[in-house]
């Protein structure tokens, strides 16, 4: 008889309708003569028929043994109860509401046979897996790219491949060498998140970890009763598991490899990220427990923050700092508006209770899962732009053209609050985020159209078509290209989450060949690139003199006045509006025949500040709050910007563009760029205020540069981009 290689531990409680599929996938996939594995099922006082199902299976297959507990122990306690009964060299903890793909057990046995014969056998074998949703939809392991092609394929330590800490920390995709696990001196916790107190120590101390690039597990996501969709105070139990992890790290007699300080810091960062994700996810924490939970996050910082710990940069770092201080109100405002540090310092004290909104219980999230069981609405499209800020950009242009060419497709917009709803056109339907109407639309819509990503909790169903438009031609590095630039850390970009989002796209809209080239690399995926031009620029390409005149009148621009639109971009890590240019001084240099339209980036809610310049200066108008930037393009005679994608859009109008880039070398070095703006500008390039004023007073000093720029970046801007997108994506009957 072959030696027993594998013990499979199966805790069972309240999963009667899932249990037979799980047992069949483990037992029926191999012949009865395959005796290299055993299944230890633990009936954790299941209130349904699970105990009888287990006994029935055990009577037919001697490889299954059943333990019936006298008191409910929870998932961690049930696993612990099984440990003294195991006989295998390796142990695998499987959840009884999940199941494994065909031939998984036999493949694992062969892999473990090879491992056991190695001079240094793997302490933990990590497997690939698949997410499965209640409607039958599947999603591949979103962290697979961190594992494939890494040293883990052949075997290494965690210190040799730290990105492993970014992957799922559950036990169900990890097979442990039993002697190693028992020697760690760790145990499963009680309550929720019970397995991380085992997983983290096991990965940190291992002499050898290995990855098996084969989906070996079907993990159910979003089912009713799952902890990821259940409102419960038990979510606060995660902090006890964190305490256990750091207690292991602090043990003087800790077994296994020494843990470098860098890994300890990564573990701490990951625990903070997880704790805040729980807090931020709608429906997980009951409303009356959120305050206490946030206080526990601050206490976690106080207990376990590593010596010399440095907060991340950008918005993520601000979130962490606020959490460490227990500044819950300011944290809520940051999450709601995306405002950066300087704005928070000015406004955090004034945040009213009315802004602390959102889902207060698990009822709405449960409703979302119920709505997902409804059939897809083939005639419904959900639109959004700029994180639910309102009706804008290419999604708005696509919506309008779809109403014309595909009228049976009903479009509904997602908006954040009533202030944004007030800016919606009167005949455009909308829903508020995190309401039942929103969840129903997100659960049943056939089409998604957005210029950013929808929340990851809104899972894309099979048959849903997601159109990603993005919101600008890139000068600066984007997406995965940011891995090599410090700005990625400052922005707090989570590359794993980004890849997960990209994997859901079906179409990606590109404005020009330059963008197609760089988006293909920055956002690797299986979507179809739509080389159509930007739908939002159709209005600019099709504008006539009457529309231009109307826009100038609307803004109060006097006839004969030269209108200069000044629109600097956002700089990472510098907080709010960055006054690199003294606008009042520029206004005095230009004189009264000019009007300066000043528009700060939408990240900066405070506006540009005092713009008083005097009676003989150019008139200055703050247009930061104007809802449609296209209106400003049409009204302006010339654009002044730095690195904003506005330059590419404004070039469609064939009007002068002046670049004001005093920090070009710094921006280029830290953010990364796709071309040399000084070598291929859209017009005059300046680096000081005097040169900028001279270029504007000269009228159009670089017409040849604009012509070359348009030939490269405006080649598809003929006014028909939205129609091309609609005809490719939506059902159109001419």
């Amino acid at each position: 008889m072959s030696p027993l290689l594998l013990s499979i531990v199966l805790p069972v409680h309240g999963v009667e309708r899932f249990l037979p599929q799980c047992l069949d996938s483990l037992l029926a996939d191999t012949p009865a003569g395959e005796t290299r594995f055993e299944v230890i099922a633990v009936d954790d006082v299941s209130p349904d028929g699970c105990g009888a199902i287990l006994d029935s299976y055990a009577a037919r297959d001697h490889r299954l043994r059943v333990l019936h507990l006298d008191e409910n122990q929870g998932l961690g306690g049930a696993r612990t109860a099984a440990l003294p009964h195991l006989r295998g060299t390796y142990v695998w903890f499987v959840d009884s509401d999940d199941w494994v793909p065909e031939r998984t057990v036999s493949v694992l046995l062969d892999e473990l046979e090879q491992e056991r014969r190695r001079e240094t056998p793997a302490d933990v074998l990590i497997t690939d897996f698949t997410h499965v949703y209640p409607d039958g939809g599947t999603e591949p392991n979103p962290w697979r790219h961190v594992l494939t092609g890494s040293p883990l394929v052949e075997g290494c330590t965690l210190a040799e491949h730290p990105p492993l800490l970014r992957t799922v920390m559950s036990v169900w995709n990890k097979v442990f060498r039993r002697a190693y696990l028992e020697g760690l001196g760790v145990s499963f916790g009680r309550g929720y998140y019970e397995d991380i107190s085992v997983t983290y120590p096991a990965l940190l101390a291992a002499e050898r970890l290995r990855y098996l690039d084969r989906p070996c597990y079907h993990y159910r996501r979003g089912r009713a009763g799952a902890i990821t969709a259940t409102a419960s105070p038990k979510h606060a139990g995660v902090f006890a598991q964190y305490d256990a992890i750091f207690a292991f790290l602090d043990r003087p007699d800790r077994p296994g490899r020494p843990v470098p300080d860098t890994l300890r810091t990564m573990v701490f960062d990951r625990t903070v990220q997880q704790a805040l994700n729980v807090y931020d996810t709608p429906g997980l924490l009951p409303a009356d427990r959120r305050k206490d939970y946030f206080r526990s996050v601050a206490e976690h910082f106080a207990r376990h923050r590593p010596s010399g710990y440095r907060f991340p940069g950008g918005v993520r770092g601000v979130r962490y700092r606020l959490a460490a201080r227990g500044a819950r109100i300011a944290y809520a405002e940051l999450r709601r508006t995306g405002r950066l540090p300087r704005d928070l310092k000015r406004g955090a004290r004034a945040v009213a209770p009315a802004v602390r909104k959102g889902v207060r219980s698990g009822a709405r999230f449960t409703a979302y899962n119920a709505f997902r069981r409804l059939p897809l609405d083939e005639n419904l499209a959900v639109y959004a732009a700029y994180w639910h800020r309102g009706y804008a950009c290419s999604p708005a242009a696509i919506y309008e053209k779809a109403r014309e060419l595909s009228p049976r497709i009903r479009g509904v917009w997602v908006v954040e609050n009533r202030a944004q709803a007030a800016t919606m056109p009167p005949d455009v339907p909308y829903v508020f985020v995190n309401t039942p109407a929103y969840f129903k639309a997100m659960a049943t819509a056939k089409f998604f159209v957005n210029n950013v990503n929808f929340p990851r909790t809104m899972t894309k169903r099979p048959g849903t078509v997601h159109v990603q438009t993005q919101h600008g031609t890139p000068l600066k590095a984007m997406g995965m290209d940011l891995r090599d630039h410090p700005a990625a850390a400052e922005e707090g970009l989570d590359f794993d989450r980004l890849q997960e989002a990209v994997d859901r796209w079906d179409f990606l809209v590109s404005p020009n060949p330059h963008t197609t080239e760089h988006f293909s690399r920055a956002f690797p995926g299986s979507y179809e690139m739509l080389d159509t031009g930007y739908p939002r620029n159709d209005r600019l390409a099709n504008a006539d003199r009457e529309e231009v005149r109307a826009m100038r009148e609307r803004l109060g621009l006097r006839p004969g006045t030269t209108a200069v639109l000044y629109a600097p971009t956002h700089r990472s890590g510098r907080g709010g509006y960055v006054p690199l240019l003294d606008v009042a001084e520029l206004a005095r240099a230009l004189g009264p025949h000019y009007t300066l339209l000043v528009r700060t980036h939408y990240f900066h809610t405070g506006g540009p500040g005092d713009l008083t310049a005097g009676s003989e200066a150019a008139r200055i108008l703050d247009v930061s709050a104007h809802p449609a930037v296209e209106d400003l393009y049409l009204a302006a005679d010339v654009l002044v910007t730095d690195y904003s994608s506005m330059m590419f859009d404004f070039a469609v109008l064939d009007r002068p563009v002046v670049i004001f880039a005093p920090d070009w070398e710094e921006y280029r070095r830290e953010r990364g760029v796709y071309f040399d703006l000084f070598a291929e500008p859209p017009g005059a390039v300046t680096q000081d205020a005097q040169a900028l004023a001279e270029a504007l007073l000269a009228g159009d000093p670089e017409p040849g540069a604009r012509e070359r720029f348009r030939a490269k970046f405006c080649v598809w801007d003929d006014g028909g981009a939205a129609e091309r997108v609609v005809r490719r994506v939506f059902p159109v009957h001419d």
Side-chain angles (χ1 to χ4, degrees):
M1 178 181 296
S2 300
L4 196 66
L5 270 176
L6 177 63
S7 294
I8 301 174
V9 174
L10 194 70
V12 180
H13 182 85
V15 291
E16 181 177 7
R17 67 191 183 101
F18 302 120
L19 184 57
Q21 182 181 20
C22 178
L23 291 171
D24 288 340
S25 70
L26 295 172
L27 296 170
D29 193 46
T30 56
E34 175 57 86
T35 57
R36 291 181 295 169
F37 77 100
E38 64 177 354
V39 179
I40 309 298
V42 183
D43 174 15
D44 192 21
V45 196
S46 188
D48 51 14
C50 285
I53 293 173
L54 290 173
D55 290 339
S56 174
Y57 270 78
R60 301 194 304 267
D61 195 321
H62 69 279
R63 296 173 298 182
L64 172 64
R65 290 186 287 149
V66 183
L67 303 178
H68 294 282
L69 301 184
D70 296 327
E71 295 181 3
N72 178 259
Q73 300 294 318
L75 196 54
R79 288 173 177 152
T80 301
L83 294 178
H85 302 273
L86 306 185
R87 298 177 295 165
T89 304
Y90 283 86
V91 56
W92 186 20
F93 299 98
V94 173
D95 290 349
S96 52
D97 56 343
D98 300 325
W99 77 103
V100 304
E102 186 177 354
R103 292 195 65 250
T104 291
V105 173
S106 58
V107 168
L108 275 179
L109 290 172
D110 291 342
E111 289 289 333
L112 296 175
E113 189 76 65
Q114 296 179 32
E115 281 300 325
R116 186 167 59 176
R117 295 173 181 173
R118 291 179 182 268
E119 181 177 350
T120 305
D123 293 321
V124 185
L125 179 67
I126 303 157
T127 73
D128 198 31
F129 61 88
T130 302
H131 286 150
V132 182
Y133 293 91
D135 57 9
T138 62
E139 180 182 55
N141 171 12
W143 300 280
R144 182 173 177 269
H145 64 283
V146 173
L147 303 169
T148 57
S150 75
L152 288 166
V153 175
E154 295 299 323
C156 66
T157 65
L158 183 59
E160 291 168 327
H161 191 62
L164 176 60
L165 282 174
R166 301 205 304 264
T167 67
V168 63
M169 287 291 110
S170 299
V171 292
W172 41 257
N173 74 321
K174 299 170 181 69
V175 182
F176 301 89
R177 189 166 60 84
R178 184 162 63 95
Y180 167 70
L181 183 63
E182 292 172 347
L184 286 176
V186 297
S187 60
F188 291 101
R190 306 301 294 265
Y192 290 179
Y193 312 102
E194 79 298 325
D195 51 355
I196 62 174
S197 54
V198 168
T199 305
Y200 277 100
L203 297 181
L204 288 163
E207 292 287 341
R208 185 165 173 269
L209 304 166
R210 191 164 80 82
Y211 170 63
L212 176 60
D213 190 15
R214 181 187 193 277
C216 293
Y217 200 89
H218 288 310
Y219 177 73
R220 295 186 195 271
R221 290 195 68 180
R223 75 168 181 86
I227 67 171
T228 53
T230 301
S232 172
K234 293 182 180 179
H235 288 286
V238 71
F239 296 105
Q241 312 313 320
Y242 297 158
D243 289 344
I245 293 168
F246 287 99
F248 173 81
L249 289 173
D250 293 336
R251 275 169 48 190
D253 61 340
R254 182 183 64 222
R257 299 182 62 85
V259 177
D261 290 342
T262 54
L263 286 184
R264 184 187 181 103
T265 299
M266 290 184 68
V267 170
F268 178 74
D269 272 332
R270 179 68 193 272
T271 60
V272 172
Q273 181 184 23
Q274 181 189 25
L276 291 178
N277 282 345
V278 171
Y279 184 80
D280 294 337
T281 300
L284 287 189
L285 291 170
D288 61 348
R289 297 301 181 95
R290 289 178 62 78
K291 184 176 181 179
D292 289 341
Y293 183 95
F294 200 83
R295 184 183 300 113
S296 295
V297 178
E299 292 169 352
H300 176 59
F301 266 96
R303 281 197 303 272
H304 301 305
R305 179 162 52 184
S307 176
Y309 176 77
R310 297 180 60 185
F311 286 96
V315 175
R316 182 162 66 102
V318 177
R319 289 174 62 215
Y320 282 22
R321 290 177 187 274
L322 293 174
R325 296 203 303 263
R328 187 170 66 94
I329 303 302
Y331 183 90
E333 178 71 352
L334 177 65
R335 290 287 299 169
R336 186 181 72 87
T337 67
R339 293 196 298 175
L340 295 172
R342 293 183 184 179
D343 304 295
L344 284 169
K345 291 176 182 177
R346 289 195 298 268
R349 294 181 181 178
V351 178
V355 304
R356 301 194 304 273
K357 62 187 184 62
V359 180
R360 296 298 185 181
S361 71
R364 289 175 181 171
F365 198 80
T366 301
Y368 170 66
N369 285 327
F371 288 137
R372 282 175 54 85
R373 291 193 284 272
L374 296 174
L376 278 182
D377 187 338
E378 298 288 332
N379 296 322
L380 178 61
V382 174
Y383 293 83
Y386 298 116
W387 302 276
H388 309 142
R389 293 171 64 90
Y391 188 81
C393 198
S394 290
I398 294 170
Y399 171 82
E400 292 172 6
K401 187 58 66 173
R403 286 206 301 187
E404 173 189 338
L405 298 179
S406 189
R408 71 181 179 87
I409 301 298
R410 307 182 322 279
V412 61
W413 280 74
V414 181
V415 296
E416 180 73 22
N417 53 43
R418 294 192 181 280
Q420 290 160 359
T423 67
M424 297 290 291
D427 60 341
V428 175
Y430 60 85
V431 295
F432 290 114
V433 70
N434 287 340
T435 61
Y438 162 78
F439 285 128
K440 183 176 182 181
M442 294 299 296
T444 59
K446 170 71 174 181
F447 302 98
F448 290 160
V449 183
N450 204 338
N451 69 354
V452 294
N453 287 305
F454 286 104
R456 67 191 298 267
T457 51
M458 299 295 101
T459 308
K460 180 184 170 186
R461 292 176 59 176
T464 301
V465 177
H466 188 162
V467 182
Q468 169 61 249
T469 71
Q470 290 292 331
H471 48 277
T473 293
L475 166 65
K476 63 187 179 184
M478 302 287 290
M480 298 301 177
D481 289 341
L482 282 172
R483 291 182 184 274
D484 299 327
H485 297 283
E490 291 184 356
E491 297 286 358
L493 181 59
D494 187 326
F495 293 106
D496 299 323
R497 289 281 181 88
L498 173 62
Q499 187 62 59
E500 183 179 347
V502 171
D503 288 341
R504 299 179 182 183
W505 300 350
D506 295 288
F507 297 99
L508 175 58
V509 176
S510 173
N512 46 56
H514 159 86
T515 302
T516 295
E517 175 189 352
H518 294 291
F519 274 4
S520 298
R521 182 183 62 253
F523 304 112
S526 58
Y527 54 80
E528 177 182 335
M529 187 77 73
L530 295 181
D531 293 333
T532 56
Y534 260 167
R536 73 181 186 188
N537 287 343
D538 288 350
R539 183 183 174 198
L540 305 180
N542 294 326
D544 56 24
R545 291 183 179 179
E546 180 57 31
E547 187 174 6
V548 171
R549 184 193 62 77
M551 284 302 105
R552 289 178 66 89
E553 285 188 358
R554 181 178 172 186
L555 292 173
L557 298 176
R558 295 185 295 269
T561 297
T562 299
V564 178
L565 174 59
Y566 173 53
T569 193
H570 161 66
R571 264 90 165 159
S572 302
R574 292 196 184 184
Y577 175 69
V578 181
L580 295 178
L581 174 66
D582 187 329
V583 177
E585 180 183 334
L586 176 63
R588 287 188 285 270
L590 294 178
H593 297 296
Y594 283 78
T595 297
L596 280 174
L597 307 174
V598 181
R599 186 176 181 85
T600 58
H601 194 275
Y602 55 82
F603 280 178
H604 312 143
T605 58
D610 184 12
L611 298 177
T612 305
S615 59
E616 295 302 313
R619 183 184 176 205
I620 306 175
L621 297 178
D622 178 9
V623 293
S624 301
H626 192 86
V629 71
E630 290 80 11
D631 292 350
L632 306 179
Y633 291 155
L634 292 175
D637 296 292
V638 57
L639 171 69
V640 175
T641 189
D642 39 27
Y643 319 118
S644 171
S645 63
M646 284 183 169
M647 72 178 81
F648 304 97
D649 301 332
F650 193 80
V652 175
L653 293 168
D654 199 12
R655 299 176 188 172
V657 179
V658 179
I659 298 298
F660 178 65
D663 58 345
W664 167 246
E665 291 303 328
E666 176 187 352
Y667 187 87
R668 175 181 188 171
R669 179 180 64 256
E670 293 189 359
R671 178 67 202 221
V673 296
Y674 288 135
F675 66 93
D676 186 344
L677 184 59
F678 278 47
E680 300 179 84
V685 179
T686 61
Q687 292 191 283
D688 60 71
Q690 180 179 346
L692 173 60
E694 291 172 354
L696 291 171
L697 291 168
D700 189 8
E702 298 288 345
R706 184 167 80 250
E707 182 179 353
R708 292 187 294 273
F709 192 84
R710 282 171 45 80
K712 180 173 182 179
F713 296 107
C714 302
V715 63
W716 296 336
D717 287 311
D718 57 2
E723 179 171 347
R724 287 189 283 271
V725 172
V726 169
R727 289 188 178 278
R728 176 64 187 90
V729 174
F730 295 99
V732 174
H733 303 288
D734 293 317

